[in-house]
Amino acid sequence: MRLQNKHIVVGITGGIAAYKSASLVRLLIKEGAEVQVVMTPAAKEFITPLTLATLSQHAVVSDFFDRRDGSWHSHVTLGTWPDLMIIAPATASTIGKMAHGIADNILVTTYLAMRAPVLIAPAMDLDMWSHPTTARNLEILAQDGVAQALPAEGFLASGLTGRGRMQEPEEILEQAVAMLTATTEKLPLAGECVTITAGPTYEPIDDVRFIGNHSSGLMGISLAEALACQGAEVHLVLGPTHLRPTNPHIVVHPVMTAEEMLAAAQETFGRSSIAIFAAAVADYRPEERVSGKIKKERRGGERMQLTLTQNPDIAATLGAQRRAGQYLVGFALETSVDTSAAEGKLHNKHLDAIVLNSTSDAGAGFGVPTNKVLILDKAGARCDLPLESKAVVAEQIVDFVLKHRTQLV
Ligand code: PMT
């Protein structure tokens, strides 16, 4: 199964070759892909949404909103979900709309929101195919570098006059496989597994209250996105936050407490070549979790005491279990740029590098969309980064890891 875990949007437009899209969807699913079909209104004249929904096991999207309950189909979500979009057949009309950004149906709107590569299989009659406007529109798409068009002359090689005919589903499948393997194989972290901890932990006092902190999870999520972009299979162990990554190669393991975070991180740590501990883990938890809600009267008086017990240190626990070839990165959140405290954590937790951020730097640390960090490694390298968005900081941390882990080998 060459397309295992791949997400593919198949766009179908209104041409006679639309009937072949059913075979294409079947072939993609046979190779392990998850397929979401998006149709133009005209495509429904050639093949029923029911056939495609049955084959793909997903309701077909063909309108901006669902007529039954009025809910919106988000072209933005459709644009971030897949690894590849295939438009087959792509009529002259749809190619023209794509080239000029005429987003008057959900398929072209999805194309304009698409972050993944796009493969189009044109299909039209010979006159339309030969028209200079069609050629120019295909040229615009090629120049934009967003869509790759298959030659619409599948039968020419066999001597038949078939110019303009859509390539066979088997040929489209092979091109899709080639595009998807080409994009992941050449990336530096292709085939590697990474574990990241991120966000806060909530340590329950009773059923409605907890001890927590202001971490939003954004720094760790940004690292997950940056590592997934380098081809890694990323496991993100994420404390309570409403934020989520968008890259489909990131597996989120939602947790609440430090103990749950350690258990989830243990699951993938052993097979990870890189682990990054960006979570703000509570060092202590209430010794007792009261069931229900603690009543003011029950505890009595103006003072109430909570007894806390130490939580496991996730970075230190996993650092002690590390094996050769793993590269471990911790974070240190300090109230000043205190390199000796950060270096202490680097050594005590058996890490290779530590990312120091300080609450004394404006725009750094918790809850803000930016960060300012100093990376230190155990060989003495220092990398002082300016204030940037957490996405940019994450990319720079990943660059540091890629450079310095090879130097260790
Ligand atoms: O989530 P954001 O709002 O984007 O904010 C990002 C951040 C400020 C949370 C992040 O950049 C950060 O600094 N994370 C580490 C915060 C922290 O708890 O630092 P620390 O110095 O207390 O811990 C040192 C290291 O040990 C960290 O890698 C931490 O994840 C780890 N640790 C700490 C305690 C514990 N019980 N288990 C741990 O794994």
Side-chain angles (χ1 to χ4, degrees):
M1 298 231 277
R2 294 172 296 167
L3 296 176
Q4 191 78 47
N5 297 327
K6 297 291 181 204
H7 293 176
I8 300 178
V9 165
V10 173
I12 304 175
T13 71
I16 188 70
Y19 76 93
K20 291 187 186 174
S21 308
S23 308
L24 176 62
V25 169
R26 198 176 48 78
L27 289 172
L28 293 168
I29 285 175
K30 225 170 126 194
E31 290 285 357
E34 195 176 332
V35 174
Q36 172 64 61
V37 173
V38 179
M39 298 174 87
T40 62
K44 292 194 276 187
E45 305 290 333
F46 294 89
I47 184 165
T48 69
L50 183 61
T51 306
L52 295 156
T54 310
L55 284 170
S56 65
Q57 292 158 17
H58 283 298
V60 166
V61 174
S62 60
D63 274 312
F64 287 107
F65 61 91
D66 192 320
R67 289 187 194 281
R68 287 162 305 177
D69 61 8
S71 60
W72 279 93
H73 290 130
S74 168
H75 57 281
V76 176
T77 312
L78 282 169
T80 54
W81 175 78
D83 299 285
L84 179 70
M85 180 180 193
I86 304 174
I87 304 178
T91 56
S93 161
T94 292
I95 290 169
K97 288 178 185 177
M98 286 164 67
H100 297 281
I102 301 168
D104 65 351
N105 63 44
I106 187 81
L107 193 152
V108 180
T109 314
T110 301
Y111 165 74
L112 291 178
M114 189 52 56
R115 297 220 197 142
V118 182
L119 175 63
I120 62 176
M124 61 203 76
D125 68 38
L126 182 56
D127 293 330
M128 291 173 92
W129 177 248
S130 312
H131 199 282
T133 301
T134 306
R136 200 166 53 238
N137 286 338
L138 282 165
E139 219 175 280
I140 291 173
L141 293 179
Q143 272 166 11
D144 287 348
V146 189
Q148 182 177 327
L150 281 167
E153 45 195 23
F155 287 84
L156 197 63
S158 58
L160 297 168
T161 50
R163 272 159 61 92
R165 291 181 79 154
M166 188 175 92
Q167 292 247 323
E168 291 304 313
E170 290 76 8
E171 290 163 313
I172 301 173
L173 169 74
E174 288 314 314
Q175 186 62 23
V177 170
M179 281 174 82
L180 283 168
T181 41
T183 48
T184 50
E185 259 170 17
K186 55 178 185 256
L187 293 170
L189 294 177
E192 293 191 43
C193 174
V194 173
T195 299
I196 301 175
T197 68
T201 64
Y202 286 1
E203 310 296 333
I205 298 169
D206 62 15
D207 289 350
V208 294
R209 304 180 181 95
F210 57 85
I211 295 175
N213 60 64
H214 296 295
S215 169
S216 64
L218 182 60
M219 189 66 247
I221 290 172
S222 305
L223 282 161
E225 298 278 6
L227 287 155
C229 282
Q230 298 295 339
E233 171 196 328
V234 180
H235 291 268
L236 177 65
V237 183
L238 187 58
T241 171
H242 64 279
L243 299 180
R244 285 289 180 272
T246 54
N247 191 307
H249 297 292
I250 302 171
V251 183
V252 178
H253 304 261
V255 294
M256 189 167 78
T257 65
E259 287 179 308
E260 288 172 12
M261 190 173 267
L262 175 60
Q266 293 266 27
E267 278 176 31
T268 52
F269 177 74
R271 60 187 180 90
S272 294
S273 54
I274 297 171
I276 303 187
F277 306 103
V281 185
D283 289 321
Y284 290 88
R285 66 177 183 278
E287 196 170 66
E288 172 203 14
R289 175 186 176 152
V290 176
S291 81
K293 185 181 169 201
I294 298 173
K295 298 260 185 297
K296 212 165 37 175
E297 308 79 51
R298 210 169 89 193
R299 293 280 151 164
E302 286 184 359
R303 293 167 71 89
M304 172 186 157
Q305 273 191 338
L306 274 179
T307 305
L308 304 180
T309 189
Q310 205 168 27
N311 262 332
D313 189 309
I314 298 160
T317 307
L318 298 180
Q321 296 170 8
R322 62 178 298 157
R323 56 171 173 77
Q326 283 183 313
Y327 192 89
L328 311 188
V329 182
F331 270 73
L333 182 63
E334 308 296 342
T335 49
S336 63
V337 185
D338 180 355
T339 51
S340 58
E343 275 161 355
K345 290 172 186 177
L346 171 69
H347 295 296
N348 297 339
K349 300 186 191 218
H350 315 285
L351 306 171
D352 296 290
I354 193 138
V355 181
L356 167 59
N357 44 193
S358 164
T359 53
S360 63
D361 282 324
F366 277 144
V368 282
T370 50
N371 209 355
K372 182 175 182 326
V373 304
L374 170 65
I375 314 174
L376 307 167
D377 83 353
K378 65 178 181 193
R382 282 171 70 101
C383 180
D384 205 349
L385 298 174
L387 184 74
E388 284 285 3
S389 70
K390 282 181 176 161
V392 170
V393 172
E395 281 166 16
Q396 290 169 333
I397 294 171
V398 171
D399 284 349
F400 181 96
V401 171
L402 291 177
K403 187 168 158 215
H404 288 81
R405 74 169 190 156
T406 42
Q407 287 173 0
L408 279 182
V409 176

